[in-house]
Amino acid sequence: MKVGILGATGYTGQELLRLLNNHPEAEIVYLGSSSSAGKDIAAVYPHLSGCGYVLEDECIPDLDVLFVALPHGIAAARVEPLLKRGIKVIDLGADFRLRDSLEYEKWYKVKHANPGIISEAVYGLPELYRDQIYGKSLVANPGCYPTASLLALVPLLEEGLLQKQTIVIDAKSGVSGAGRGVNQALHFSEVNENFKAYGVAEHRHTPEIEQQLTFAAKNKVHVSFVPHLVPMTRGILATIYAQVAEGLGTEGQKEKILRECLKEAYQQEQFVHLLPEGVWPQTKYCYGSNHAFLQLKYDERTGRVIIVSAIDNLVKGASGQAVQNMNIIMGLPEGMGLAARGMWP
Ligand SMILES: NC(=O)c1ccc[n+]([C@@H]2O[C@H](COP(=O)([O-])OP(=O)(O)OC[C@H]3O[C@@H](n4cnc5c(N)ncnc54)[C@H](OP(=O)(O)O)[C@@H]3O)[C@@H](O)[C@H]2O)c1
């Protein structure tokens, strides 16, 4: 299977390269770069020394699958001819995640270059939408905060176990979530020994989370979503609060019902795990791996359930999930090339 990566020098691009380099069915034949064409990848990322890959310009050869790991706005303009050439495209950016192009334009502040093609894309969160992904040619790989949030919330909303307008998502991310580009707010001295909220009630992942929760609840859902920047390289920890549905069993039964719902949703899954009672997710559980970890507790004093969800933003939140999606659309075992365990410490 011939695969390529556009944006290979970015953080998600190099993570794709790390994963695909060990994938038994993938042959990396193209690494596109607008800034480093002609250089060996090791000149940009020395830890990839010996792979022997040379970065090329953005002239894309014939491929089975192309991963687009570029800033939003570029994929929408470029994808149609690629699909016509029979290349399957997995976009790690946001161009095909929102079904409504006007919502995209409102939140991303750019004109969508090809609104007509959005309906061809599938939202690629395998544990929730696996059946829809199989056989598709265009995959919108979910955002990192949405992945952590939706894994925790969708099964509970589908079962009507939460009051849908009471959801609060308090999420924290490592700095790699912002990509490799230079930005003053991300300098070491700004981030180190610091902890701050950003994008409060206006982060671009809000409409993506709300869109998928609305599908799950079959009714419009709004959430309070507050992301935070944590002085660490990788990882997302989302702490989620919601009032449980009225009439949900007796006091003693509520936590059991909520737990059973997530347990049933993920007990067959290889990458999403509801931890044993009392064990709370940590970002290091997922560091460098495609695993996601969940835990919940019902607080009977407030009537709220508190759910904690942890992923690695660059793996389950981006490149690992993209490889999982590739495996599904190409009819391969879903975990192929993703078995490598994470790193600790
Ligand atoms: N970082 C995460 O945790 C994460 C998680 C989920 C999704 N995503 C999404 O994945 C995509 C890639 O993210 P990333 O974190 O890998 O970004 P990044 O580190 O900033 O890399 C993006 C790459 O795109 C290329 N590029 C081409 N045109 C560009 C332009 N006009 N401006 C800037 N870069 C340009 C650059 O590579 P060349 O110079 O070699 O062309 C750059 O290295 C984004 O859409 C992002 O939202 C990121």
Side-chain angles (χ1 to χ4, degrees):
M1 200 170 53
K2 293 190 184 332
V3 303
I5 305 168
L6 255 185
T9 64
Y11 282 161
T12 59
Q14 65 93 28
E15 196 68 6
L16 278 166
L17 181 49
R18 182 176 76 86
L19 294 168
L20 291 168
N21 195 44
N22 292 318
H23 192 291
E25 293 290 337
E27 184 193 354
I28 302 171
V29 298
Y30 170 70
L31 297 177
S33 169
S34 57
S35 63
S36 304
K39 287 186 187 164
D40 190 297
I41 189 70
V44 185
Y45 288 115
H47 71 286
L48 296 170
S49 292
C51 290
Y53 298 118
V54 175
L55 294 156
E56 295 177 48
D57 65 20
E58 297 195 329
C59 182
I60 298 161
D62 285 337
L63 299 168
D64 294 299
V65 180
L66 177 71
F67 295 88
V68 182
L70 299 174
H72 68 268
I74 304 175
R78 300 188 61 177
V79 81
E80 197 163 5
L82 298 171
L83 296 175
K84 285 195 173 132
R85 286 169 60 192
I87 300 174
K88 292 181 190 294
V89 176
I90 299 174
D91 180 32
L92 282 79
D95 289 4
F96 309 107
R97 294 181 196 153
L98 299 179
R99 312 313 296 166
D100 180 348
S101 61
L102 296 178
E103 273 284 283
Y104 172 88
E105 290 174 7
K106 180 176 131 196
W107 287 86
Y108 285 86
K109 314 250 183 289
V110 289
K111 191 135 187 64
H112 198 287
N114 193 347
I117 210 155
I118 295 175
S119 60
E120 288 185 30
V122 64
Y123 189 75
L125 215 172
E127 289 77 11
L128 301 177
Y129 314 112
R130 182 173 287 122
D131 296 347
Q132 299 166 36
I133 300 167
Y134 181 76
K136 280 280 163 45
S137 295
L138 178 58
V139 178
N141 212 59
C144 45
Y145 285 123
T147 296
S149 308
L150 296 171
L151 288 173
L153 286 165
V154 165
L156 299 173
L157 275 180
E158 281 179 345
E159 292 301 314
L161 305 186
L162 305 178
Q163 293 184 36
K164 54 185 183 300
Q165 302 306 2
T166 66
I167 297 168
V168 175
I169 303 170
D170 173 352
K172 302 100 193 160
S173 174
V175 186
S176 63
R180 206 177 187 218
V182 180
N183 176 339
Q184 187 185 334
L186 303 176
H187 285 182
F188 178 78
S189 45
E190 307 276 336
V191 173
N192 186 42
E193 303 288 358
N194 199 6
F195 183 22
K196 65 174 185 180
Y198 68 101
V200 178
E202 57 182 25
H203 190 277
R204 288 165 169 172
H205 286 172
T206 309
E208 184 181 334
I209 295 170
E210 291 184 343
Q211 169 182 279
Q212 298 307 126
L213 295 184
T214 296
F215 292 150
K218 300 186 179 64
N219 233 316
K220 186 72 198 159
V221 175
H222 290 294
V223 297
S224 295
F225 171 50
V226 181
H228 299 76
L229 194 63
V230 184
M232 61 184 189
T233 305
R234 290 167 176 248
I236 284 182
L237 191 87
T239 307
I240 301 169
Y241 307 82
Q243 212 74 31
V244 304
E246 282 173 19
L248 180 71
T250 61
E251 278 305 296
Q253 293 172 327
K254 290 183 201 288
E255 181 163 317
K256 192 162 179 287
I257 295 170
L258 295 158
R259 173 170 292 284
E260 279 303 313
C261 176
L262 287 189
K263 198 169 151 191
E264 201 171 302
Y266 298 124
Q267 62 191 354
Q268 304 294 336
E269 296 295 341
Q270 52 187 319
F271 296 122
V272 182
H273 314 277
L274 177 63
L275 288 168
E277 234 169 293
V279 182
W280 290 90
Q282 303 177 20
T283 52
K284 277 249 158 109
Y285 289 3
C286 347
Y287 205 87
S289 89
N290 199 47
H291 295 290
F293 293 96
L294 299 169
Q295 182 56 279
L296 66 79
K297 188 167 179 62
Y298 171 67
D299 182 353
E300 59 185 39
R301 294 167 314 108
T302 60
R304 280 194 280 271
V305 61
I306 301 164
I307 315 161
V308 174
S309 172
I311 60 167
D312 184 325
N313 55 294
L314 291 177
V315 190
K316 185 61 180 162
S319 308
Q321 187 139 267
V323 171
Q324 202 179 340
N325 279 316
M326 173 190 78
N327 289 337
I328 295 173
I329 61 176
M330 299 305 283
L332 296 169
E334 196 173 312
M336 189 176 266
L338 293 167
R341 301 292 168 239
M343 306 169 236
W344 190 299

